[in-house]
Amino acid sequence: MATYGLWYFKAQGGFPEEFPNAGAPSTLKSLGFDYAIALYSSAKDKESGDLLYGGVPYSGITYEDGYNDALKFADWIDSKLRGIDYLVFIPVLADDYSLDFGSRTTQYLKGWVDGIYDNTSNYQKGFYWYLEYPWQVHDGIVYEETISEVSNHIRNKGQQFIWIPYVNDRINLNNTDIKLLSKYFTYVFVQPHYYQT
């Protein structure tokens, strides 16, 4: 089976920025990874609680908004990861820092997919469903129909669709959406124990 490595970057003021120790495609390959999954990381100041970096722009709810937001990101990510096959995150949440605001619209997410797909090289091989929360449908954050539509949209392009949900090892998997949603993804890698708990 292929191996996937997470490649993190940060966003400062809406602009993506590489971490100083981020691995180059050749480094990732030499470590045995077949694919890199491009994910953004966020961080808050411990004292003030202010956001230091993180998140991606969200210009609106339409297909065109999603496409244009992805277009701004596509050239940058392709210049960083060209040389290894890679997947790009899908910014699921309307507010990247909270589950309270729900998800971005289905049309926005399709626009994001097309904006990335149309404007990157053939090294871009798929997408990563960024919301790791295993109860996202049950808790009304995302509709199953949204995941199904986005999945079909991605798969019709011959692209992979990956999800890496977490589950605390003291919680029964039957109480999550993982089994319900797994049919929409090429691969689901369940994190066996979430580090915060």
Side-chain angles (χ1 to χ4, degrees):
M1 183 175 169
T3 55
Y4 295 79
L6 304 180
W7 187 87
Y8 285 96
F9 65 92
K10 57 185 173 178
Q12 299 268 47
F15 297 99
E17 195 173 302
E18 188 174 358
F19 283 108
N21 59 348
S26 59
T27 304
L28 296 170
K29 282 185 168 182
S30 70
L31 291 172
F33 292 110
D34 301 306
Y35 295 92
I37 300 176
L39 303 170
Y40 67 89
S41 180
S42 61
K44 291 184 179 181
D45 183 276
K46 290 182 181 179
E47 292 180 18
S48 69
D50 293 337
L51 189 69
L52 298 174
Y53 57 82
V56 292
Y58 183 33
S59 60
I61 64 170
T62 68
Y63 173 92
E64 291 76 19
D65 293 326
Y67 191 95
N68 290 329
D69 288 348
L71 182 60
K72 294 172 189 171
F73 178 72
D75 281 342
W76 182 83
I77 195 62
D78 201 58
S79 72
K80 298 299 179 186
L81 291 179
R82 187 177 295 185
I84 188 170
D85 291 340
Y86 68 90
L87 290 78
V88 174
F89 74 100
I90 295 179
V92 181
L93 296 177
D95 178 332
D96 290 326
Y97 318 110
S98 171
L99 296 173
D100 298 333
F101 292 91
S103 67
R104 299 182 188 207
T105 66
T106 304
Q107 289 307 307
Y108 178 95
L109 298 175
K110 287 181 177 180
W112 175 272
V113 167
D114 289 347
I116 296 294
Y117 181 79
D118 292 347
N119 296 288
T120 52
S121 69
N122 62 359
Y123 283 106
Q124 190 275 323
K125 301 293 186 185
F127 294 88
Y128 171 68
W129 188 252
Y130 193 70
L131 185 55
E132 297 175 350
Y133 188 67
W135 302 276
Q136 56 192 270
V137 170
H138 178 270
D139 290 354
I141 298 163
V142 178
Y143 295 112
E144 183 178 354
E145 294 79 15
T146 294
I147 298 171
S148 175
E149 281 189 46
V150 170
S151 174
N152 288 335
H153 196 68
I154 290 169
R155 290 177 174 202
N156 286 340
K157 297 177 182 306
Q159 296 258 298
Q160 296 182 39
F161 192 30
I162 307 294
W163 185 34
I164 309 174
Y166 68 82
V167 64
N168 185 301
D169 63 5
R170 288 172 276 184
I171 298 174
N172 188 329
L173 282 172
N174 290 327
N175 293 332
T176 73
D177 295 329
I178 295 171
K179 290 180 181 177
L180 170 73
L181 300 178
S182 64
K183 63 188 170 203
Y184 300 117
F185 297 95
T186 311
Y187 297 111
V188 175
F189 303 101
V190 179
Q191 299 178 45
H193 186 71
Y194 201 44
Y195 67 94
Q196 280 97 335
T197 54

